Amino acid sequence: MSDPSTRVQVRKTYKLYIGGAFPRSESGRSYVVTDHKERFAANAALASRKDARDAVTAARKAFPGWSGATAYNRGQVLYRVAELMEGRRAQFVAEVRAAEGLSAAKAEAAVDAAIDRWVWYAGWSDKIAQVRGSSNPVAGPYFNFSLPEPTGVVAVLAPAESSLLGFVAVVAPAIVSGSTVVVLASEPHPLPAVTLSEVLATSDVPGGVVNVLTGRVAEVAPWLASHMDVNAIDLTGADDALRVELAIAATDNLKRVFRPHTPDDWTATPPLNRMLAYLETKTVWHPAAT
Amino acid sequence: MPRVCAAQGIQPVTVTATTDLRGFLHGLPGVDRVGAEGRAAMLASRSIKTTAKQWALDMAISMIDLTTLEGQDTPGKVRALCAKARHPDPADLTAPHVAAVCVYPDLAHIAASELKGSGIHVASVATAFPSGRTSLDVKLADVRYAISSGADEVDMVIDRGAFLAGDYAKVHDEIVAVKEACGETHLKVILETGELLTYDNVRRASWLAMLAGADFIKTSTGKVTPAATLPVTMIMLEAVRDYRDAHGRQVGVKPAGGIRTAKDAIRYLVLVNETAGDDWLDPDWFRLGASSLLNDLLMQRTKMATGHYSGPDYFTLD
Amino acid sequence: MPKFEYAPAPESRSIVGIRESYGLFIDGKFTDTVDGRAFKTISPATEEVLAEVTEAGPEDVDRAVKAARKAYEPWSALAPAQRSKYLFRIARIIQERARELAVLESLDNGKPIRESRDVDIPLVAAHFFYYAGWADKLEHAGFGPAPKPLGVAGQVIPWNFPLLMLAWKIAPALACGNTVVLKPAETTPLTALAFAEICQQADLPPGVVNIVTGAGDTGRALVEHPGIDKVAFTGSTEVGKQIARSCAASGRKNTLELGGKAANIVFDDAAIDQAVEGIVNGIFFNQGHVCCAGSRLLVQESVYDEVLTSLKRRLGSLRLGDPLDKNTDVGAINSAAQLAKIRELSDIGEAEGAERWSPPCELPAHGFWFPPTIFTGVSQAHRIAREEIFGPVLSVLTFRTPAEAIEKANNTPYGLSAGVWTEKGSLILRMAAQLRAGVVWANTFNRFDPASPFGGYKESGYGREGGRHGLEAYLDV
């Protein structure tokens, strides 16, 4: 017989994160998330196409403010996210262990890598223009320069495995230069992403810059891939067959499609490609004469 | 009909068409937005304390055009506003009265009768405020109605459509006609800077209004956002300063709308002080178009006198 | 008597805790001198003594360099991502202590609190943030796949932007994996010593940053010490040349950021009100103690009267006085020595026949003060048009055409900065292309950002600080 004074835990309700708020799915549905031992962990919100639509609207609304902020400001905000993640390190380690069945050491390494990944991307905000932009020596009395600019609203399918580090690794590069994101978390392991939304909500990230949906990739992703107000899509979290379907749907408005060809090693320092994928290049000419 | 205008340091020139007005207005020095906003922001960081703050609070109160311009205005509402104008703080009769009360023309007669003998002006909007979108005849009739109802100040709106379409002569001639209909009545010309959008436009519209005879230039109707801002008001203060240097005639400035706190009001006074100077630090030459501002000024005034923070329950709602 | 008198609005000094005396910061600790002596640092606004500081002797410098050398191996071997986090910590602590640092800077330097609060300290934090982010991205900086640090850097900085100059030196050096020994100017050591405390708060490994206070002799001992791999100097052209000579003899890498005599060029189609602000900002910001100050106004003859009238009127609203008053625009001159130099050159200006003008200005009884001053009727041949005064003194010259403006602007051994005021885009770009200056400000002036490379042409020095380019000085490339 258990001790009558044993404390009963207050368990968290895992909701969506849209426009800076935490709504349930408008469909009222949820789905069962299990831990690595197939035990019940939580009922996560099961996002519908309407939630995806609302998330895109929120992301679009947040785009002018976020892309209009200085690069310095965005870098500060991303660094603040890392600070708050560090504060919740123990919570994240526990959630990642439960979800993926990692050892304590491996879970800690994954969480530390996720925090350090935010810091790495935070430091790119005010440098990517210097690496990617240029002044171009055209043959004529013109000043000519090329600038990278954020593409707009990016839909991201987070990897199924690597519930926190993988999630961070696909979301941070999309927002660092000013684009805003609708991300579909890992379908089997969505809970660390939802906890990360709580960090985003309390870390000066404006509402709508990152919107987190949980649910079935096969159900929600096609709606994002075909949405005419989404400018780019990261297909990482989709399996091969679905990737083809989504890539085709994305062509209706010529979305920029990021389609990794080799499996990602989430622990390695990434190349620049995930940032560059969401940058347009604007070239400006101006005469130079008295 | 020839219009005479002069740029700084240049002999007066007679202009006879919109193209000449355009040449003059577009020949004024441009305004660099980033630089102008930087200057306004620096002035907003001035720290006004103790005796300076006391002086500024009282001056700000005495510069207020206490305003109600709502479709739902009634005689009762206007009477209450006028009582507030005369005695802003019933608990402290040393508080100065405001400069004017500002109402729609059909309620001007109520304000005139309530404010008789108080020294507080009766300002009425006119010319199909706030949009100005009607014929000149109707606008002039509106002005005459306001004046015959007892207004001693008229706040008109310029035709922003004509301005943005480049028809400067039309804008100019309307102001001239309204001024003529005003006679001795004091004319404020509302530029509606929130619709003009660029500082270059604000500078040009300011000069245009002054050349046409405005007694005051005013930022906004308060019905469009943004209304008054510090940089816009700074541009207008520069304009009246330069105009007086060129023509010898002093024109007043009134920012209106969006000025809610005592801190805002004091910032405007700093702006006047360091842009146009002492001559404009007077209710005859600078007004604040506001309504809820008054209570915040009174609250700050009380705090300075008593030493602790006050609350809204201690100040009357009109 | 003006209608609207601003009452005193003093920033409180109570936020700052200044010790009675400071030792040297070596190997992560404050330590007493072995062969130096004590000297005092004063407030130039009141001449009161703020603290006693140590003048490091040659043995002290040697200790510091050895500490930096010992710390270099582990510091440069640290994973770059971990190194970057130390710099992020420092940036954050600077933000946390921003107000305290601003008050301390104004006390020790004499600059208005509004400037140290709104310009200096925010830029200090920003420099550390910016370079923190480069530490683990050097392979993308355009210097090869794996650029290496140089070793121990000896850094000597001036008194005009004490903590900011420290940030410009230390942030990129550390980000690239170097360790440093830094000597702040003798009249402004206090914020560098506060920075030493910040390094301790950030748990920066001992020896990575060492601060040796002192004057010219200490600086010389540092830059000539055989144990350092790199010299970085900001200061006068005269001293810069001495350092260049000594480094030429030893083959040591060095970067120099020296003096200037910048031309601020106003065309007849300028946005006049903003141009006047830019002129004022260009020469009276920081009391004109700015290497890139717009100390020569080149105004197009056709708008001369308009600009000068407007400028003189604007100078009438400049507020000179107590640096800790939040409404002060013009603070104290940094030292008696500098004040004497400014007076000397101004007297020469008058003697040369230029016309001198200042707005009416009440100077406080104690401290070092000089009113904002304009010289008109100046020509290129006048000494006040050629020599850096480093004070709130503007020389006004005229020009007729853009070509003449370029000629006059470039006709100087200096080449640090220039200003161009016109609403015409193509003119701006053409002028920028032709001006022989490391920084060209168009329709603005004295704007700084850690992402923006800064440095001079010709005798204004070589090397750039800020931006991706600023990494080069601290890498073995």
Side-chain angles (χ1 to χ4, degrees):
Chain A
M1 194 67 172
S2 56
D3 179 351
S5 66
T6 306
R7 187 176 180 279
V8 175
Q9 281 187 324
V10 179
R11 291 182 181 168
K12 181 149 79 177
T13 301
Y14 288 84
K15 300 202 258 177
L16 306 174
Y17 178 58
I18 299 179
F22 290 93
R24 298 175 195 271
S25 168
E26 62 79 41
S27 66
R29 304 173 306 166
S30 61
Y31 73 106
V32 170
V33 174
T34 56
D35 66 11
H36 69 279
K37 290 206 164 106
E38 304 298 315
R39 295 176 299 205
F40 173 80
N43 291 311
L46 183 60
S48 67
R49 64 178 171 83
K50 289 188 184 175
D51 295 317
R53 173 202 65 193
D54 292 344
V56 171
T57 302
R60 175 61 60 197
K61 189 158 165 226
F63 178 69
W66 184 240
S67 57
T70 60
Y72 179 48
N73 181 251
R74 283 197 297 273
Q76 297 268 283
V77 170
L78 263 65
Y79 183 76
R80 180 72 175 157
V81 172
E83 283 184 352
L84 296 187
M85 280 186 79
E86 186 87 45
R88 290 189 188 223
R89 188 174 175 274
Q91 180 184 19
F92 278 117
V93 169
E95 284 199 337
V96 167
R97 279 197 83 179
E100 298 178 34
L102 301 177
S103 67
K106 285 216 160 73
E108 284 174 9
V111 172
D112 288 344
I115 297 172
D116 287 357
R117 190 59 49 83
W118 271 112
V119 176
W120 191 77
Y121 276 115
W124 267 118
S125 172
D126 52 5
K127 299 171 184 63
I128 190 70
Q130 297 174 313
V131 166
R132 186 64 168 173
S134 60
S135 115
N136 307 310
V138 296
Y142 297 95
F143 180 58
N144 178 301
F145 59 96
S146 294
L147 290 175
E149 291 189 353
T151 190
V153 174
V154 180
V156 176
L157 308 178
E161 302 310 313
S162 192
S163 57
L164 180 66
L165 174 56
F167 182 86
V168 167
V170 298
V171 168
I175 62 171
V176 66
S177 305
S179 288
T180 55
V181 155
V182 176
V183 53
L184 190 51
S186 154
E187 187 174 326
H189 313 302
L191 306 186
V194 179
T195 301
L196 184 62
S197 321
E198 294 166 18
V199 169
L200 296 174
T202 53
S203 60
D204 299 328
V205 178
V209 170
V210 179
N211 303 276
V212 180
L213 304 173
T214 55
R216 307 276 179 227
V217 180
E219 179 189 339
V220 176
W223 291 98
L224 292 172
S226 64
H227 198 304
M228 298 295 269
D229 200 27
V230 169
N231 303 104
I233 184 162
D234 179 346
L235 300 180
T236 300
D239 63 40
D240 291 336
L242 186 58
R243 279 185 188 183
V244 173
E245 184 196 321
L246 299 175
I248 291 171
T251 57
D252 279 350
N253 67 338
L254 292 185
K255 286 182 186 59
R256 284 81 173 102
V257 176
F258 185 83
R259 195 172 177 176
H261 292 286
T262 52
D264 289 276
D265 172 9
W266 300 116
T267 59
T269 301
L272 304 187
N273 57 359
R274 276 203 154 84
M275 281 188 290
L276 302 180
Y278 312 122
L279 290 174
E280 308 294 329
T281 299
K282 170 175 290 166
T283 299
V284 179
W285 295 69
H286 195 302
T290 57
Chain B
M1 166 171 178
R3 287 164 277 280
V4 178
C5 60
Q8 280 166 263
I10 298 176
Q11 291 306 307
V13 163
T14 304
V15 297
T16 54
T18 210
T19 46
D20 297 311
L21 264 177
R22 188 187 139 91
F24 173 74
L25 295 174
H26 286 231
L28 291 167
V31 182
D32 182 86
R33 172 173 289 267
V34 173
E37 289 178 355
R39 171 77 178 140
M42 195 291 281
L43 289 171
S45 76
R46 289 288 193 216
S47 181
I48 307 301
K49 302 277 180 227
T50 63
T51 51
K53 186 170 178 179
Q54 275 172 337
W55 180 91
L57 289 172
D58 279 6
M59 178 56 74
I61 293 170
S62 73
M63 286 172 161
I64 288 182
D65 279 6
L66 198 58
T67 302
T68 186
L69 293 167
E70 306 300 321
Q72 57 186 344
D73 286 341
T74 58
K77 164 76 178 175
V78 174
R79 280 192 191 98
L81 195 73
C82 291
K84 176 93 176 165
R86 281 173 169 260
H87 296 121
D89 186 356
D92 180 1
L93 296 174
T94 68
H97 64 71
V98 302
V101 159
C102 187
V103 293
Y104 270 112
D106 62 332
L107 292 164
H109 69 284
I110 308 249
S113 111
E114 295 292 315
L115 295 173
K116 205 176 174 105
S118 67
I120 300 171
H121 297 285
V122 177
S124 170
V125 296
T127 69
F129 177 101
S131 73
R133 296 246 66 84
T134 187
S135 70
L136 181 57
D137 285 340
V138 168
K139 292 188 204 184
L140 293 176
D142 201 17
V143 170
R144 286 189 271 267
Y145 173 51
I147 294 172
S148 67
S149 301
D152 67 320
E153 294 182 355
V154 165
D155 288 21
M156 73 167 282
V157 290
I158 64 166
D159 182 345
R160 283 88 71 194
F163 185 89
L164 293 171
D167 194 349
Y168 298 129
K170 180 161 197 249
V171 177
H172 176 276
D173 293 349
E174 276 195 1
I175 299 170
V176 170
V178 168
K179 179 63 191 162
E180 207 183 323
C182 279
E184 289 306 307
T185 305
H186 192 91
L187 175 63
K188 298 196 201 86
V189 176
I190 302 173
L191 309 181
E192 196 67 305
T193 55
E195 288 179 346
L196 300 183
L197 293 170
T198 69
Y199 295 141
D200 285 338
N201 276 350
V202 171
R203 170 163 291 174
R204 291 168 187 161
S206 299
W207 274 84
L208 187 54
M210 293 188 288
L211 290 170
D215 297 306
F216 249 71
I217 49 175
K218 176 174 166 183
T219 60
S220 327
T221 61
K223 302 301 179 193
V224 158
T225 311
T229 66
L230 287 168
V232 150
T233 308
M234 187 180 82
I235 304 298
M236 290 166 68
L237 286 163
E238 286 168 355
V240 301
R241 174 199 69 195
D242 294 344
Y243 180 82
R244 187 174 74 164
D245 284 348
H247 288 262
R249 182 170 85 89
Q250 186 168 349
V251 173
V253 174
K254 175 176 169 181
I259 307 172
R260 288 196 182 89
T261 64
K263 201 164 185 141
D264 292 333
I266 293 176
R267 285 182 171 150
Y268 278 97
L269 292 183
V270 168
L271 202 57
V272 176
N273 190 37
E274 300 201 38
T275 307
D278 265 12
D279 289 348
W280 273 265
L281 280 172
D282 185 299
D284 283 348
W285 299 107
F286 193 78
R287 299 280 181 85
L288 296 163
S291 35
S292 57
L293 170 65
L294 182 53
N295 273 1
D296 200 58
L297 285 166
L298 293 170
M299 262 209 269
Q300 295 306 313
R301 202 170 181 276
T302 301
K303 188 215 166 221
M304 293 206 79
T306 61
H308 52 253
Y309 291 108
S310 191
D313 284 348
Y314 298 89
F315 300 95
T316 65
L317 295 171
D318 47 71
Chain C
M1 167 81 172
K3 274 186 190 171
F4 192 0
E5 282 266 34
Y6 300 163
E11 177 73 47
S12 164
R13 282 173 67 151
S14 61
I15 193 173
V16 176
I18 306 179
R19 302 186 206 173
E20 249 189 71
S21 70
Y22 290 86
L24 305 167
F25 184 68
I26 297 177
D27 208 22
K29 297 187 299 294
F30 281 94
T31 168
D32 290 333
T33 175
V34 296
D35 64 340
R37 55 179 193 87
F39 69 102
K40 296 184 174 25
T41 185
I42 62 166
S43 152
T46 58
E47 300 180 63
E48 68 176 279
V49 174
L50 294 172
E52 212 176 65
V53 186
T54 303
E55 180 180 344
E59 278 228 26
D60 292 322
V61 171
D62 187 60
R63 280 196 299 146
V65 173
K66 286 195 161 75
R69 172 66 53 195
K70 195 178 87 198
Y72 172 63
E73 275 248 17
W75 178 248
S76 55
L78 198 55
Q82 307 313 319
R83 194 161 57 235
S84 90
K85 285 190 280 186
Y86 281 111
L87 292 167
F88 276 116
R89 272 189 195 170
I90 289 173
R92 273 310 212 204
I93 297 172
I94 288 166
Q95 286 182 320
E96 285 162 5
R97 296 177 63 173
R99 185 167 177 169
E100 174 199 343
L101 292 168
V103 172
L104 188 56
E105 194 79 296
S106 280
L107 274 172
D108 205 16
N109 168 283
K111 66 173 70 194
I113 184 68
R114 190 190 68 229
E115 282 173 10
S116 37
R117 179 194 71 204
D118 294 346
V119 178
D120 288 56
I121 303 304
L123 278 173
V124 171
H127 268 269
F128 278 98
F129 266 109
Y130 179 78
Y131 280 106
W134 267 122
D136 54 358
K137 300 172 178 66
L138 294 176
E139 66 268 33
H140 298 288
F143 299 110
K148 298 274 170 288
L150 288 164
V152 175
Q155 306 176 319
V156 176
I157 58 174
W159 47 262
N160 60 346
F161 294 91
L163 194 58
L164 183 58
M165 293 298 98
L166 177 153
W168 281 24
K169 296 282 179 289
I170 292 187
L174 263 48
C176 293
N178 304 279
T179 55
V180 309
V181 180
L182 180 137
K183 187 200 85 67
E186 64 263 35
T187 57
T188 55
L190 295 182
T191 45
L193 294 164
F195 180 78
E197 285 172 24
I198 288 173
C199 291
Q200 290 176 320
Q201 284 184 339
D203 278 323
L204 189 67
V208 172
V209 167
N210 305 275
I211 309 281
V212 292
T213 44
D217 289 341
T218 309
R220 194 165 307 114
L222 177 58
V223 305
E224 291 176 2
H225 194 289
I228 61 170
D229 304 292
K230 161 71 205 245
V231 172
F233 173 79
T234 297
S236 69
T237 293
E238 189 193 326
V239 176
K241 286 181 181 177
Q242 290 169 15
I243 291 176
R245 259 176 241 125
S246 124
C247 288
S250 62
R252 185 174 301 136
K253 280 195 77 167
N254 64 98
T255 47
L256 306 171
E257 204 269 278
L258 309 175
K261 192 72 182 180
N264 206 349
I265 305 167
V266 177
F267 285 96
D268 60 8
D269 60 351
I272 300 288
D273 290 307
Q274 284 72 56
V276 167
E277 277 315 303
I279 295 167
V280 169
N281 187 347
I283 185 59
F284 302 120
F285 163 70
N286 209 39
Q287 297 69 252
H289 304 312
V290 187
C291 41
C292 49
S295 50
R296 285 185 290 153
L297 169 59
L298 265 52
V299 57
Q300 196 156 24
E301 233 176 282
S302 46
V303 284
Y304 176 86
D305 286 335
E306 192 179 336
V307 170
L308 265 290
T309 303
S310 207
L311 178 60
K312 287 182 175 175
R313 177 181 56 212
R314 173 67 178 92
L315 292 193
S317 66
L318 277 180
R319 306 172 61 83
L320 179 149
D322 178 10
L324 284 189
D325 190 305
K326 289 180 254 190
N327 294 319
T328 292
D329 299 318
V330 180
I333 303 301
N334 183 250
S335 64
Q338 189 58 32
L339 180 58
K341 282 194 195 130
I342 298 168
R343 282 184 177 150
E344 188 195 336
L345 272 163
S346 299
D347 291 343
I348 287 170
E350 272 193 280
E352 288 181 311
E355 199 183 305
R356 178 179 186 153
W357 183 90
S358 285
C361 215
E362 207 186 301
L363 302 183
H366 298 287
F368 315 124
W369 305 93
F370 197 84
T373 300
I374 299 179
F375 279 100
T376 50
V378 179
S379 76
Q380 288 286 101
H382 288 158
R383 283 183 65 184
I384 56 168
R386 299 194 68 67
E387 293 176 37
E388 189 179 35
I389 299 174
F390 221 65
V393 179
L394 178 67
S395 299
V396 183
L397 303 86
T398 60
F399 69 92
R400 293 157 301 172
T401 63
E404 195 184 328
I406 295 275
E407 255 182 25
K408 287 186 168 169
N410 288 342
N411 178 224
T412 162
Y414 291 116
L416 187 49
S417 64
V420 179
W421 297 84
T422 166
E423 291 288 89
K424 190 162 186 186
S426 48
L427 179 58
I428 287 171
L429 295 172
R430 179 68 175 153
M431 295 293 289
Q434 302 232 282
L435 285 163
R436 303 283 299 157
V439 181
V440 177
W441 283 299
N443 290 328
T444 188
F445 209 93
N446 276 342
R447 299 234 66 85
F448 307 99
D449 192 281
S452 179
F454 181 94
Y457 282 38
K458 307 193 283 185
E459 290 191 23
S460 292
Y462 39 75
R464 292 290 175 272
E465 294 179 287
R468 183 179 61 82
H469 300 71
L471 296 165
E472 187 180 349
Y474 294 102
L475 293 171
D476 191 7
V477 293

